[in-house]
Amino acid sequence: MDLTGLKWLQQQQQMVSPEFLHILGSDGREELRRVESYLGNNIYDTIDGCISRTSSFQMEPVKNNEDNRVIALRNKRKPEGKTEKREKKKKIKAEDETESSMKGNSNMSNTETSSEFLKQDYIHVRARRGEATDRHSLAERARREKISKKMKCLQDIVPGCNKVTGKAGMLDEIINYVQSLQQQVEFLSMKLSFLNPQLEFHINELSSMMADPRYFPLHQQGSLDYSVINSNQTTSLNALKMETSSSWDVHSQCLCNNLRTDSVSSFFSLK
Amino acid sequence: MERQIINKKKRVFSVEPNKIPPSEVFTRKYTSLLVPALKKLNMNKNSSQVNQLTVKHEVDMALALSAQEFAWSRFLLQKLSSSNNPTTTTSSSSNGIRIQERSGKEGGHEDGEREEKLRELQKLLPGGEEMNVEEMLGEIGNYIKCLELQTIALKSIVQDTT
């Protein structure tokens, strides 16, 4: 396996995603596989292999190894393109360096720590530009990226967040928004408690409507059985519309229609 | 007008029967839980005033029950059921996961502010104090959406009665 192939991989800016692999075609995939086998299929082996290759390497404290493995594991399970790429770079570059020389890494942008690295004989990792290569800081960085990604999602959800920049301002907005929503709910429930006696009539109607399996076919858990609804669509809906005089059902359905946005569905699936 | 409403109703059910917009599922669940609960409340406390706290309790309960796939709803349920029985001790974890930023790059000031805000946010979310930051941020998004839907449902119920 020649080094040119390795360098080609290094220069790839794209994420190693399944789509990318598809674009690569079978040849590219072959090459990736070859690279992986060259470096040792197992990430653990690779890291250990790197350590064992160079005699001057100290064994790092076990904890760091664990962290790295955890990170590697995490990256392996969920191939988030960038972090995986970085891992690959780590592996590839580590091998590269053991083959060439281990002297001053010119690509290490953090010059202060580079000297420290040489002294401590850790695995030399080529980091991205302008970033420290400490194992801890890599983990930190991955964590921070996740957090900022989530903040971006929150920005879409909370109205008025676009104008504010910076995490603190956004957090302020989010806090205010959640507080205002909670206050609204409290206020509405207070209103409801005052109105409760008057709810009799409508509630009777609504609850009888709800209990009727024709109009609101329920699962065991109490959620609507949509399969039944879909099949008896026309008949049940028309009958429903005719019978009920309250506008509640139509109300909520129109509202539900309006609510259907991408961000909602994305957030409900966000774990 | 009638036809439009019927058409809108038809549109509610998507072509793919499995893909139900979760916002709809939530609102239906919520209202189907809340309304009978309120009715039961009404029946039980016939002449006496319906306590505001109990209504709030029902409202929260409905929220927690209709969003059971999220972590915060579990915490909310726990809190509600524990508040029902004041004798039982809540099993809150004493060692809640605190927010700690270990970055050495950013200035201490900024960090402190951000930490404070994140802590405040944690307090707002039910069970937020026992989650770590990333988890909490994700759950906050769900919570906000559910709160919005809840307000809409409540508004429509209140509107209907006035």
Side-chain angles (χ1 to χ4, degrees):
Chain A
M1 176 74 195
D2 52 327
L3 283 180
T4 52
L6 278 175
K7 283 193 184 136
W8 168 78
L9 269 177
Q10 291 157 18
Q11 283 159 14
Q12 288 301 320
Q13 290 304 314
Q14 298 167 355
M15 308 196 298
V16 186
S17 59
E19 290 92 31
F20 177 59
L21 285 174
H22 186 67
I23 295 168
L24 274 183
S26 54
D27 305 334
R29 249 171 280 167
E30 259 299 320
E31 194 153 304
L32 268 181
R33 242 176 278 141
R34 260 184 279 147
V35 171
E36 283 199 274
S37 60
Y38 173 67
L39 297 175
N41 259 330
N42 205 348
I43 295 182
Y44 310 147
D45 289 344
T46 316
I47 293 175
D48 289 334
C50 293
I51 294 177
S52 61
R53 267 225 189 179
T54 59
S55 53
S56 56
F57 269 25
Q58 253 176 23
M59 278 310 294
E60 299 173 10
V62 184
K63 192 179 176 213
N64 282 344
N65 253 343
E66 290 263 305
D67 286 348
N68 205 19
R69 281 187 196 190
V70 168
I71 297 169
L73 238 187
R74 234 185 284 146
N75 287 338
K76 186 128 182 132
R77 253 190 254 142
K78 301 189 209 175
E80 294 174 357
K82 271 189 197 157
T83 43
E84 186 163 71
K85 200 71 205 131
R86 209 186 302 145
E87 273 296 322
K88 275 210 161 76
K89 273 190 184 164
K90 233 199 272 187
K91 283 186 286 180
I92 295 168
K93 286 296 178 179
E95 286 288 47
D96 205 2
E97 266 140 28
T98 54
E99 283 175 6
S100 46
S101 68
M102 295 207 301
K103 296 189 187 154
N105 270 321
S106 53
N107 287 345
M108 277 258 238
S109 45
N110 204 338
T111 49
E112 288 175 333
T113 54
S114 68
S115 53
E116 283 178 24
F117 273 139
L118 288 172
K119 289 175 194 165
Q120 295 170 9
D121 291 332
Y122 286 115
I123 297 177
H124 293 269
V125 172
R126 193 159 298 173
R128 296 188 297 187
R129 238 182 111 89
E131 287 174 341
T133 58
D134 193 25
R135 212 161 279 234
H136 287 295
S137 49
L138 274 174
E140 261 300 309
R141 205 182 314 140
R143 186 172 154 268
R144 255 182 273 143
E145 277 178 12
K146 269 196 215 168
I147 291 181
S148 57
K149 217 192 336 176
K150 297 210 174 172
M151 297 282 276
K152 278 196 194 129
C153 291
L154 280 177
Q155 224 180 7
D156 296 329
I157 285 208
V158 177
C161 244
N162 312 326
K163 304 163 191 170
V164 193
T165 48
K167 289 189 189 173
M170 250 175 51
L171 282 174
D172 257 338
E173 280 293 322
I174 295 175
I175 289 175
N176 287 337
Y177 189 61
V178 172
Q179 277 175 339
S180 70
L181 278 178
Q182 284 179 338
Q183 281 169 6
Q184 259 187 335
V185 169
E186 260 193 65
F187 173 71
L188 282 171
S189 66
M190 192 163 47
K191 219 172 164 185
L192 207 59
S193 68
F194 286 144
L195 290 174
N196 224 356
Q198 302 171 23
L199 279 170
E200 278 286 1
F201 178 67
H202 296 274
I203 286 183
N204 278 330
E205 217 178 44
L206 289 170
S207 59
S208 61
M209 210 166 64
M210 300 244 200
D212 198 337
R214 281 186 298 147
Y215 304 139
F216 277 82
L218 295 174
H219 279 302
Q220 267 187 346
Q221 300 110 348
S223 57
L224 288 176
D225 191 353
Y226 278 87
S227 54
V228 179
I229 289 180
N230 274 334
S231 57
N232 305 341
Q233 203 170 343
T234 45
T235 53
S236 65
L237 284 178
N238 288 336
L240 182 63
K241 184 65 195 81
M242 298 312 166
E243 272 207 30
T244 181
S245 55
S246 87
S247 57
W248 168 80
D249 199 43
V250 179
H251 225 323
S252 65
Q253 287 202 16
C254 295
L255 295 165
C256 284
N257 272 333
N258 297 338
L259 284 171
R260 232 184 284 153
T261 58
D262 281 330
S263 58
V264 175
S265 48
S266 72
F267 246 100
F268 272 88
S269 54
L270 194 72
K271 287 289 179 218
Chain B
M1 178 62 179
E2 189 107 315
R3 191 172 176 77
Q4 278 177 7
I5 294 174
I6 294 176
N7 284 338
K8 263 192 182 168
K9 275 199 178 186
K10 282 193 190 165
R11 250 199 293 139
V12 165
F13 304 111
S14 51
V15 178
E16 302 144 296
N18 291 329
K19 269 195 175 180
I20 303 162
S23 54
E24 210 180 297
V25 175
F26 174 83
T27 20
R28 280 198 185 274
K29 269 196 214 171
Y30 183 79
T31 41
S32 65
L33 282 168
L34 184 60
V35 174
L38 286 176
K39 185 192 168 203
K40 218 196 320 183
L41 258 185
N42 245 346
M43 284 182 21
N44 287 342
K45 304 196 172 189
N46 258 324
S47 48
S48 61
Q49 267 183 343
V50 181
N51 201 1
Q52 188 202 328
L53 276 176
T54 47
V55 172
K56 184 73 170 51
H57 185 269
E58 290 302 324
V59 162
D60 287 337
M61 187 65 93
L63 173 65
L65 287 175
S66 38
Q68 272 181 338
E69 53 261 24
F70 303 128
W72 51 262
S73 75
R74 277 178 264 137
F75 282 108
L76 190 58
L77 266 178
Q78 205 182 40
K79 200 169 32 158
L80 286 174
S81 52
S82 68
S83 69
N84 260 341
N85 316 334
T87 51
T88 60
T89 51
T90 51
S91 58
S92 61
S93 62
S94 50
N95 43 338
I97 302 169
R98 313 208 60 227
I99 298 171
Q100 280 179 13
E101 286 274 344
R102 288 179 299 153
S103 77
K105 281 189 188 171
E106 294 170 321
H109 249 311
E110 270 182 32
D111 246 13
E113 259 188 52
R114 195 143 51 96
E115 272 187 55
E116 250 190 65
K117 300 224 167 89
L118 283 170
R119 230 168 278 150
E120 256 196 71
L121 209 52
Q122 267 188 331
K123 282 189 206 151
L124 285 177
L125 184 72
E129 323 230 318
E130 298 161 20
M131 299 183 204
N132 60 6
V133 183
E134 307 167 10
E135 213 189 319
M136 184 202 65
L137 286 178
E139 294 289 323
I140 280 263
N142 301 327
Y143 185 60
I144 288 177
K145 272 299 157 191
C146 288
L147 276 182
E148 285 177 1
L149 292 172
Q150 188 188 30
T151 47
I152 288 175
L154 281 174
K155 266 188 210 164
S156 58
I157 291 179
V158 168
Q159 223 175 30
D160 198 43
T161 61
T162 51

